[in-house]
Amino acid sequence: MPILQRIVRMQRRVNQLFETIIDKLAKKQLEQASRQYELQYDKPLSAQEVIEIKKGVVLRVGFFGFIPVVILLLTLMNGGVGG
């Protein structure tokens, strides 16, 4: 099997994994937003609104997960150099 086909398969698996993780993280917010939107406008959320909710979840998780790790690494690097 050529290397490019393996890379494409691996990329598809990684994309599916990330989609699954994002869906699990955004499930509660999607349900809440869907209920609220249906009560207000009597129609389901559009695909664009679902994407916006998922984007917000990814940004929030990235912010609360990535920033502390960067601060920790910078602190450890500074302690290693100065200590």
Side-chain angles (χ1 to χ4, degrees):
M1 178 184 313
I3 189 96
L4 290 178
Q5 287 179 346
R6 287 182 185 180
I7 291 172
V8 168
R9 270 196 201 153
M10 191 182 320
Q11 183 181 7
R12 285 183 187 151
R13 276 190 256 148
V14 169
N15 285 344
Q16 288 174 347
L17 175 66
F18 279 130
E19 287 178 14
T20 303
I21 291 170
I22 291 170
D23 287 342
K24 286 181 181 180
L25 290 172
K27 183 178 180 181
K28 185 175 180 181
Q29 284 191 333
L30 282 171
E31 289 174 356
Q32 289 176 347
S34 178
R35 270 188 258 123
Q36 181 181 6
Y37 194 82
E38 285 180 8
L39 285 173
Q40 285 181 338
Y41 303 107
D42 198 29
K43 58 183 178 179
L45 286 172
S46 69
Q48 184 63 32
E49 291 162 336
V50 170
I51 290 172
E52 290 297 323
I53 292 170
K54 288 182 180 182
K55 232 190 281 187
V57 169
V58 169
L59 288 173
R60 196 172 317 114
V61 168
F63 181 74
F64 289 117
F66 183 70
I67 300 297
V69 170
V70 169
I71 292 170
L72 178 64
L73 287 174
L74 292 174
T75 303
L76 291 174
M77 286 172 48
N78 190 23
V81 172

Coordinates of all heavy atoms in Angstrom, one line a residue:
M1 N 0.9 -1.2 0.0 CA 0.0 0.0 0.0 C 0.9 1.2 0.0 O 1.8 1.4 0.8 CB -0.9 0.0 1.2 CG -1.8 1.2 1.4 SD -2.8 1.2 2.9 CE -3.4 -0.4 3.0
P2 N 0.7 2.1 -0.9 CA 1.5 3.3 -1.0 C 1.4 4.2 0.3 O 0.3 4.2 1.0 CB 0.9 4.1 -2.2 CG 0.2 3.1 -3.0 CD -0.3 2.1 -2.0
I3 N 2.4 4.9 0.6 CA 2.4 5.8 1.8 C 1.4 6.8 1.8 O 0.8 7.1 2.9 CB 3.9 6.4 1.9 CG1 4.0 7.0 3.3 CG2 4.1 7.4 0.9 CD1 4.6 6.2 4.3
L4 N 1.0 7.4 0.6 CA 0.0 8.4 0.6 C -1.4 7.9 1.0 O -2.1 8.6 1.7 CB -0.1 9.0 -0.8 CG 1.1 9.9 -1.2 CD1 0.9 10.4 -2.6 CD2 1.3 11.0 -0.3
Q5 N -1.7 6.6 0.7 CA -3.0 6.0 1.1 C -3.0 5.8 2.6 O -4.0 6.0 3.3 CB -3.2 4.7 0.4 CG -3.6 4.9 -1.1 CD -3.8 3.6 -1.8 OE1 -3.4 2.5 -1.3 NE2 -4.4 3.6 -3.0
R6 N -1.9 5.4 3.2 CA -1.8 5.3 4.6 C -2.0 6.6 5.3 O -2.7 6.7 6.4 CB -0.4 4.7 5.0 CG -0.3 3.3 4.7 CD 1.0 2.7 5.1 NE 1.2 1.4 4.7 CZ 2.3 0.6 5.0 NH1 3.3 1.2 5.6 NH2 2.4 -0.6 4.6
I7 N -1.3 7.7 4.8 CA -1.5 9.0 5.4 C -2.9 9.5 5.3 O -3.4 10.0 6.3 CB -0.5 10.0 4.7 CG1 0.9 9.6 5.0 CG2 -0.8 11.4 5.1 CD1 1.9 10.4 4.2
V8 N -3.6 9.2 4.2 CA -5.0 9.6 4.1 C -5.9 8.9 5.1 O -6.7 9.5 5.7 CB -5.5 9.4 2.6 CG1 -7.0 9.6 2.5 CG2 -4.8 10.4 1.7
R9 N -5.6 7.6 5.2 CA -6.4 6.8 6.2 C -6.2 7.3 7.6 O -7.1 7.5 8.4 CB -6.0 5.4 6.1 CG -6.8 4.6 5.2 CD -6.6 3.1 5.4 NE -7.0 2.3 4.3 CZ -6.5 1.2 4.0 NH1 -5.6 0.6 4.7 NH2 -6.9 0.5 2.9
M10 N -4.9 7.6 7.9 CA -4.6 8.1 9.3 C -5.2 9.4 9.5 O -5.8 9.7 10.6 CB -3.1 8.2 9.4 CG -2.7 8.4 10.9 SD -0.9 8.6 11.1 CE -0.2 7.4 10.0
Q11 N -5.2 10.3 8.5 CA -5.8 11.6 8.6 C -7.3 11.5 8.8 O -7.9 12.2 9.7 CB -5.5 12.4 7.4 CG -6.1 13.8 7.5 CD -5.8 14.6 6.2 OE1 -5.3 14.1 5.2 NE2 -6.1 15.9 6.2
R12 N -8.0 10.6 8.1 CA -9.4 10.4 8.3 C -9.7 9.9 9.7 O -10.7 10.4 10.4 CB -9.9 9.4 7.3 CG -10.1 9.9 5.9 CD -10.7 9.0 5.0 NE -10.6 9.5 3.6 CZ -10.6 8.7 2.5 NH1 -10.5 7.4 2.6 NH2 -10.5 9.3 1.3
R13 N -8.9 9.0 10.2 CA -9.1 8.5 11.6 C -9.0 9.6 12.6 O -9.7 9.7 13.6 CB -8.2 7.3 11.9 CG -8.7 6.0 11.4 CD -7.9 4.9 11.9 NE -7.1 4.4 10.8 CZ -5.9 3.9 10.9 NH1 -5.3 3.7 12.0 NH2 -5.2 3.6 9.8
V14 N -7.9 10.4 12.4 CA -7.7 11.5 13.4 C -8.9 12.5 13.3 O -9.3 13.0 14.3 CB -6.3 12.2 13.0 CG1 -6.2 13.5 13.8 CG2 -5.2 11.3 13.4
N15 N -9.3 12.8 12.1 CA -10.5 13.7 11.9 C -11.7 13.2 12.6 O -12.4 13.9 13.3 CB -10.8 14.0 10.4 CG -9.7 14.9 9.8 OD1 -9.0 15.6 10.5 ND2 -9.7 14.9 8.5
Q16 N -12.0 11.9 12.4 CA -13.1 11.3 13.1 C -13.0 11.3 14.6 O -14.0 11.6 15.3 CB -13.3 9.9 12.6 CG -13.8 9.8 11.2 CD -13.8 8.3 10.7 OE1 -13.2 7.4 11.3 NE2 -14.5 8.1 9.5
L17 N -11.8 11.1 15.1 CA -11.5 11.2 16.5 C -11.8 12.5 17.1 O -12.5 12.7 18.1 CB -10.1 10.7 16.8 CG -9.7 10.9 18.3 CD1 -10.4 9.9 19.2 CD2 -8.2 10.6 18.4
F18 N -11.3 13.6 16.4 CA -11.5 14.9 16.8 C -13.0 15.3 16.8 O -13.5 16.0 17.7 CB -10.7 15.9 16.0 CG -9.3 16.0 16.5 CD1 -8.2 15.9 15.6 CD2 -8.9 16.2 17.8 CE1 -6.9 16.0 16.0 CE2 -7.6 16.3 18.2 CZ -6.6 16.2 17.3
E19 N -13.7 14.9 15.7 CA -15.1 15.2 15.6 C -15.9 14.5 16.8 O -16.8 15.1 17.3 CB -15.7 14.7 14.3 CG -15.2 15.5 13.1 CD -15.7 15.0 11.8 OE1 -16.6 14.1 11.8 OE2 -15.2 15.5 10.7
T20 N -15.5 13.3 17.1 CA -16.2 12.6 18.2 C -15.9 13.3 19.5 O -16.9 13.5 20.3 CB -15.7 11.2 18.3 OG1 -15.9 10.5 17.1 CG2 -16.4 10.4 19.4
I21 N -14.7 13.7 19.8 CA -14.4 14.5 21.0 C -15.1 15.8 21.1 O -15.7 16.1 22.1 CB -12.8 14.7 21.1 CG1 -12.1 13.4 21.3 CG2 -12.5 15.7 22.2 CD1 -10.6 13.4 21.2
I22 N -15.2 16.5 20.0 CA -15.9 17.8 20.0 C -17.3 17.6 20.2 O -18.0 18.3 20.9 CB -15.6 18.5 18.6 CG1 -14.1 19.0 18.6 CG2 -16.5 19.7 18.5 CD1 -13.7 19.5 17.3
D23 N -17.9 16.6 19.6 CA -19.3 16.3 19.8 C -19.7 16.0 21.2 O -20.7 16.4 21.7 CB -19.8 15.1 18.9 CG -19.9 15.5 17.4 OD1 -20.0 16.8 17.1 OD2 -19.9 14.6 16.5
K24 N -18.8 15.2 21.8 CA -19.0 14.8 23.2 C -18.9 16.1 24.1 O -19.7 16.2 25.1 CB -18.0 13.8 23.7 CG -18.3 12.4 23.2 CD -17.4 11.4 23.6 CE -17.7 10.0 23.1 NZ -16.7 9.0 23.5
L25 N -17.9 16.9 23.9 CA -17.7 18.1 24.7 C -18.9 19.1 24.5 O -19.3 19.8 25.4 CB -16.4 18.8 24.3 CG -15.1 18.1 24.8 CD1 -13.9 18.8 24.2 CD2 -15.0 18.0 26.3
A26 N -19.4 19.2 23.3 CA -20.4 20.2 23.0 C -21.9 19.7 23.1 O -22.8 20.4 23.0 CB -20.2 20.7 21.5
K27 N -22.0 18.4 23.5 CA -23.3 17.8 23.6 C -24.3 18.6 24.5 O -25.4 18.9 24.1 CB -23.2 16.4 24.0 CG -24.5 15.6 24.1 CD -24.3 14.2 24.5 CE -25.7 13.5 24.5 NZ -25.5 12.1 24.9
K28 N -23.9 18.9 25.7 CA -24.7 19.6 26.7 C -25.1 21.0 26.2 O -26.3 21.3 26.3 CB -24.0 19.6 28.0 CG -24.9 20.2 29.1 CD -24.1 20.1 30.4 CE -25.0 20.7 31.6 NZ -24.2 20.6 32.8
Q29 N -24.1 21.7 25.7 CA -24.4 23.0 25.2 C -25.3 23.0 24.0 O -26.2 23.9 23.8 CB -23.1 23.8 24.9 CG -22.5 24.3 26.1 CD -21.3 25.3 25.8 OE1 -20.8 25.2 24.7 NE2 -21.1 26.1 26.8
L30 N -25.1 22.1 23.1 CA -26.0 22.0 21.9 C -27.4 21.7 22.3 O -28.4 22.2 21.7 CB -25.5 20.9 21.0 CG -24.3 21.3 20.1 CD1 -23.8 20.0 19.4 CD2 -24.7 22.3 19.1
E31 N -27.6 20.8 23.3 CA -29.0 20.5 23.8 C -29.6 21.7 24.4 O -30.8 22.0 24.1 CB -28.9 19.3 24.8 CG -28.6 18.0 24.2 CD -28.4 16.9 25.2 OE1 -28.4 17.2 26.4 OE2 -28.2 15.7 24.8
Q32 N -28.9 22.4 25.2 CA -29.5 23.6 25.8 C -29.8 24.7 24.8 O -30.9 25.3 24.8 CB -28.5 24.2 26.8 CG -28.3 23.4 28.1 CD -27.3 24.0 29.0 OE1 -26.5 24.8 28.6 NE2 -27.2 23.5 30.2
A33 N -28.9 24.9 23.9 CA -29.1 25.9 22.8 C -30.3 25.5 21.9 O -31.1 26.4 21.5 CB -27.9 26.2 22.0
S34 N -30.4 24.2 21.6 CA -31.4 23.7 20.8 C -32.8 23.9 21.4 O -33.7 24.4 20.8 CB -31.2 22.3 20.4 OG -32.2 21.8 19.7
R35 N -32.9 23.6 22.7 CA -34.1 23.7 23.4 C -34.5 25.2 23.5 O -35.7 25.6 23.2 CB -34.0 23.2 24.8 CG -34.4 21.7 24.9 CD -34.5 21.3 26.4 NE -33.2 20.5 26.6 CZ -32.4 20.8 27.6 NH1 -32.6 21.8 28.4 NH2 -31.3 20.1 27.7
Q36 N -33.6 26.1 23.8 CA -33.9 27.5 23.9 C -34.3 28.1 22.5 O -35.3 28.8 22.4 CB -32.7 28.2 24.4 CG -32.9 29.7 24.6 CD -31.7 30.4 25.1 OE1 -30.6 29.8 25.2 NE2 -31.8 31.7 25.4
Y37 N -33.6 27.7 21.5 CA -33.9 28.2 20.2 C -35.3 27.7 19.7 O -36.0 28.5 19.1 CB -32.8 27.8 19.2 CG -32.8 28.5 17.9 CD1 -32.2 29.8 17.7 CD2 -33.4 27.9 16.8 CE1 -32.2 30.4 16.5 CE2 -33.4 28.6 15.6 CZ -32.8 29.8 15.4 OH -32.9 30.5 14.2
E38 N -35.6 26.5 20.0 CA -36.9 25.9 19.5 C -38.0 26.6 20.3 O -39.1 26.8 19.7 CB -36.9 24.4 19.7 CG -36.1 23.7 18.7 CD -36.1 22.2 18.8 OE1 -36.9 21.7 19.7 OE2 -35.4 21.5 18.1
L39 N -37.8 26.9 21.6 CA -38.8 27.6 22.3 C -39.0 29.0 21.8 O -40.2 29.5 21.7 CB -38.4 27.6 23.8 CG -38.6 26.3 24.6 CD1 -38.0 26.5 26.0 CD2 -40.0 25.9 24.6
Q40 N -37.9 29.7 21.5 CA -38.1 31.1 21.0 C -38.6 31.2 19.6 O -39.5 32.0 19.3 CB -36.7 31.8 21.1 CG -36.3 32.2 22.5 CD -35.0 32.9 22.5 OE1 -34.2 32.8 21.6 NE2 -34.8 33.7 23.5
Y41 N -38.1 30.4 18.7 CA -38.4 30.5 17.3 C -39.2 29.4 16.6 O -39.5 29.4 15.5 CB -37.1 30.7 16.5 CG -36.2 31.9 17.0 CD1 -35.1 31.7 17.7 CD2 -36.7 33.2 16.7 CE1 -34.3 32.7 18.2 CE2 -35.9 34.3 17.2 CZ -34.8 34.0 17.9 OH -34.0 35.1 18.4
D42 N -39.4 28.4 17.4 CA -40.2 27.2 17.0 C -39.6 26.5 15.7 O -40.3 26.1 14.8 CB -41.6 27.6 16.7 CG -42.6 26.4 16.7 OD1 -42.2 25.4 17.4 OD2 -43.6 26.5 16.0
K43 N -38.3 26.5 15.7 CA -37.6 25.7 14.6 C -36.2 25.3 15.1 O -35.7 25.9 16.1 CB -37.5 26.5 13.3 CG -36.7 27.8 13.5 CD -36.7 28.6 12.1 CE -36.0 29.9 12.3 NZ -36.0 30.7 11.1
P44 N -35.7 24.2 14.5 CA -34.4 23.7 15.0 C -33.2 24.6 14.7 O -33.3 25.5 13.8 CB -34.2 22.3 14.3 CG -35.1 22.5 13.1 CD -36.2 23.4 13.5
L45 N -32.1 24.4 15.4 CA -30.9 25.1 15.1 C -30.4 24.8 13.7 O -30.5 23.7 13.2 CB -29.7 24.7 16.0 CG -29.8 25.2 17.5 CD1 -28.8 24.5 18.3 CD2 -29.7 26.7 17.6
S46 N -29.8 25.8 13.0 CA -29.3 25.6 11.7 C -27.9 25.0 11.8 O -27.3 25.0 12.9 CB -29.2 26.9 10.9 OG -28.2 27.8 11.5
A47 N -27.3 24.5 10.7 CA -26.0 23.9 10.8 C -24.9 24.9 11.1 O -24.0 24.6 11.9 CB -25.7 23.3 9.4
Q48 N -25.1 26.2 10.7 CA -24.1 27.2 11.0 C -24.1 27.5 12.5 O -23.1 27.7 13.1 CB -24.5 28.5 10.2 CG -23.5 29.6 10.4 CD -22.1 29.3 9.9 OE1 -21.9 28.5 9.0 NE2 -21.1 29.8 10.5
E49 N -25.3 27.5 13.1 CA -25.4 27.8 14.6 C -24.7 26.7 15.4 O -24.1 26.9 16.4 CB -26.8 28.0 15.0 CG -27.4 29.3 14.4 CD -28.9 29.4 14.5 OE1 -29.5 28.3 14.5 OE2 -29.4 30.5 14.5
V50 N -24.9 25.4 14.9 CA -24.3 24.3 15.6 C -22.8 24.4 15.5 O -22.0 24.2 16.4 CB -24.8 23.0 14.9 CG1 -23.9 21.8 15.4 CG2 -26.2 22.7 15.2
I51 N -22.3 24.8 14.3 CA -20.8 25.0 14.1 C -20.3 26.1 15.0 O -19.2 25.9 15.6 CB -20.5 25.3 12.6 CG1 -20.7 24.0 11.8 CG2 -19.0 25.8 12.5 CD1 -20.6 24.3 10.3
E52 N -21.0 27.2 15.2 CA -20.6 28.3 16.1 C -20.5 27.8 17.5 O -19.6 28.2 18.2 CB -21.6 29.5 15.9 CG -21.5 30.2 14.6 CD -20.1 30.8 14.4 OE1 -19.5 31.3 15.3 OE2 -19.7 30.8 13.2
I53 N -21.5 27.0 17.9 CA -21.5 26.5 19.3 C -20.3 25.6 19.5 O -19.5 25.7 20.5 CB -22.8 25.7 19.6 CG1 -23.9 26.7 19.7 CG2 -22.7 24.9 20.9 CD1 -25.3 26.1 19.7
K54 N -20.0 24.7 18.5 CA -18.8 23.8 18.6 C -17.5 24.6 18.6 O -16.6 24.3 19.3 CB -18.8 22.8 17.5 CG -19.9 21.7 17.6 CD -19.9 20.7 16.5 CE -20.9 19.7 16.6 NZ -20.8 18.7 15.6
K55 N -17.5 25.7 17.8 CA -16.3 26.5 17.8 C -16.0 27.1 19.2 O -14.9 27.2 19.6 CB -16.5 27.6 16.8 CG -15.4 27.7 15.8 CD -15.5 29.0 14.9 CE -16.5 28.9 13.8 NZ -16.5 30.0 12.9
G56 N -17.1 27.6 19.8 CA -17.0 28.2 21.1 C -16.5 27.2 22.1 O -15.6 27.5 23.0
V57 N -17.0 25.9 22.1 CA -16.5 24.9 23.0 C -15.0 24.6 22.8 O -14.3 24.5 23.7 CB -17.4 23.6 22.8 CG1 -16.8 22.4 23.5 CG2 -18.8 23.9 23.3
V58 N -14.6 24.5 21.5 CA -13.2 24.2 21.2 C -12.3 25.3 21.7 O -11.3 25.1 22.3 CB -13.0 24.0 19.7 CG1 -11.5 23.9 19.3 CG2 -13.7 22.7 19.3
L59 N -12.7 26.6 21.5 CA -11.9 27.7 22.0 C -11.8 27.7 23.5 O -10.8 28.0 24.0 CB -12.5 29.0 21.5 CG -12.3 29.3 20.0 CD1 -13.1 30.5 19.6 CD2 -10.9 29.4 19.6
R60 N -12.9 27.4 24.1 CA -12.9 27.4 25.6 C -12.0 26.3 26.2 O -11.3 26.5 27.1 CB -14.4 27.3 26.1 CG -14.5 27.6 27.6 CD -16.0 27.6 28.0 NE -16.9 28.3 27.1 CZ -17.9 27.6 26.5 NH1 -18.0 26.3 26.7 NH2 -18.6 28.2 25.6
V61 N -12.2 25.1 25.6 CA -11.3 24.0 26.0 C -9.9 24.3 25.7 O -9.0 24.1 26.6 CB -11.8 22.7 25.4 CG1 -10.7 21.6 25.6 CG2 -13.1 22.3 25.9
G62 N -9.6 24.9 24.6 CA -8.2 25.2 24.2 C -7.7 26.3 25.2 O -6.5 26.2 25.6
F63 N -8.5 27.2 25.5 CA -8.0 28.3 26.4 C -7.7 27.8 27.8 O -6.7 28.1 28.4 CB -9.1 29.4 26.5 CG -8.7 30.5 27.4 CD1 -7.8 31.5 26.9 CD2 -9.3 30.7 28.6 CE1 -7.4 32.5 27.8 CE2 -9.0 31.7 29.4 CZ -8.0 32.7 29.0
F64 N -8.7 27.0 28.3 CA -8.5 26.5 29.7 C -7.5 25.3 29.8 O -7.0 24.9 30.8 CB -9.8 26.1 30.3 CG -10.7 27.3 30.6 CD1 -11.9 27.5 30.0 CD2 -10.2 28.2 31.6 CE1 -12.7 28.6 30.3 CE2 -11.0 29.3 31.9 CZ -12.2 29.5 31.2
G65 N -7.2 24.7 28.6 CA -6.3 23.5 28.6 C -4.9 23.9 28.2 O -3.9 23.5 28.8
F66 N -4.8 24.7 27.2 CA -3.5 25.1 26.6 C -2.8 26.2 27.3 O -1.6 26.0 27.6 CB -3.7 25.5 25.1 CG -2.4 25.8 24.4 CD1 -1.6 24.8 24.1 CD2 -2.1 27.1 24.0 CE1 -0.4 25.0 23.4 CE2 -1.0 27.4 23.4 CZ -0.1 26.3 23.0
I67 N -3.4 27.2 27.7 CA -2.8 28.3 28.4 C -2.1 27.9 29.7 O -1.0 28.3 30.0 CB -3.8 29.5 28.6 CG1 -4.3 30.0 27.3 CG2 -3.2 30.6 29.4 CD1 -3.3 30.6 26.4
P68 N -2.8 27.1 30.6 CA -2.1 26.7 31.8 C -0.8 25.8 31.5 O 0.2 25.9 32.2 CB -3.1 25.9 32.6 CG -4.4 26.4 32.1 CD -4.2 26.8 30.7
V69 N -0.9 25.0 30.5 CA 0.3 24.2 30.1 C 1.4 25.1 29.7 O 2.6 24.9 30.1 CB -0.1 23.2 29.0 CG1 1.1 22.5 28.5 CG2 -1.1 22.2 29.6
V70 N 1.1 26.1 28.9 CA 2.2 27.1 28.5 C 2.8 27.8 29.7 O 4.0 27.9 29.8 CB 1.6 28.1 27.4 CG1 2.6 29.2 27.2 CG2 1.3 27.3 26.2
I71 N 1.9 28.3 30.6 CA 2.4 28.9 31.8 C 3.3 28.0 32.6 O 4.3 28.4 33.1 CB 1.2 29.5 32.6 CG1 0.5 30.6 31.8 CG2 1.7 30.0 34.0 CD1 -0.8 31.1 32.4
L72 N 2.8 26.8 32.8 CA 3.6 25.8 33.5 C 5.0 25.6 32.9 O 6.0 25.5 33.5 CB 2.9 24.5 33.6 CG 3.6 23.3 34.3 CD1 3.8 23.7 35.8 CD2 2.8 22.1 34.2
L73 N 5.0 25.4 31.5 CA 6.3 25.2 30.8 C 7.2 26.4 31.0 O 8.4 26.2 31.2 CB 6.0 24.9 29.4 CG 5.4 23.5 29.1 CD1 5.1 23.4 27.6 CD2 6.4 22.4 29.4
L74 N 6.6 27.6 30.8 CA 7.5 28.8 31.0 C 8.0 28.9 32.4 O 9.2 29.3 32.6 CB 6.7 30.0 30.5 CG 6.3 30.1 29.1 CD1 5.4 31.3 28.8 CD2 7.6 30.2 28.2
T75 N 7.2 28.6 33.4 CA 7.6 28.6 34.7 C 8.8 27.6 35.0 O 9.8 27.9 35.6 CB 6.5 28.3 35.7 OG1 5.4 29.3 35.4 CG2 6.9 28.5 37.1
L76 N 8.6 26.4 34.5 CA 9.6 25.4 34.7 C 10.9 25.7 33.9 O 12.0 25.5 34.5 CB 9.1 24.0 34.2 CG 8.0 23.4 35.1 CD1 7.5 22.1 34.4 CD2 8.5 23.1 36.4
M77 N 10.8 26.3 32.8 CA 11.9 26.7 32.0 C 12.7 27.8 32.7 O 13.9 27.8 32.8 CB 11.6 27.1 30.6 CG 11.2 26.0 29.7 SD 10.5 26.5 28.1 CE 11.7 27.7 27.5
N78 N 11.9 28.8 33.3 CA 12.6 29.9 34.0 C 13.2 29.4 35.2 O 14.3 29.8 35.6 CB 11.5 30.9 34.3 CG 12.1 32.2 34.8 OD1 13.3 32.5 34.6 ND2 11.3 33.0 35.6
G79 N 12.6 28.5 36.0 CA 13.2 27.9 37.2 C 14.4 27.1 36.9 O 15.4 27.1 37.6
G80 N 14.4 26.4 35.7 CA 15.6 25.6 35.3 C 16.8 26.4 34.9 O 17.9 26.1 35.2
V81 N 16.5 27.6 34.3 CA 17.6 28.5 33.9 C 18.1 29.2 35.0 O 19.3 29.4 35.2 CB 17.1 29.4 32.8 CG1 18.1 30.5 32.4 CG2 16.7 28.6 31.5
G82 N 17.2 29.8 35.9 CA 17.7 30.6 37.0 C 18.2 29.8 38.2 O 18.9 30.3 39.0
G83 N 17.7 28.6 38.3 CA 18.0 27.8 39.5 C 19.3 27.1 39.4 O 20.1 26.7 40.1

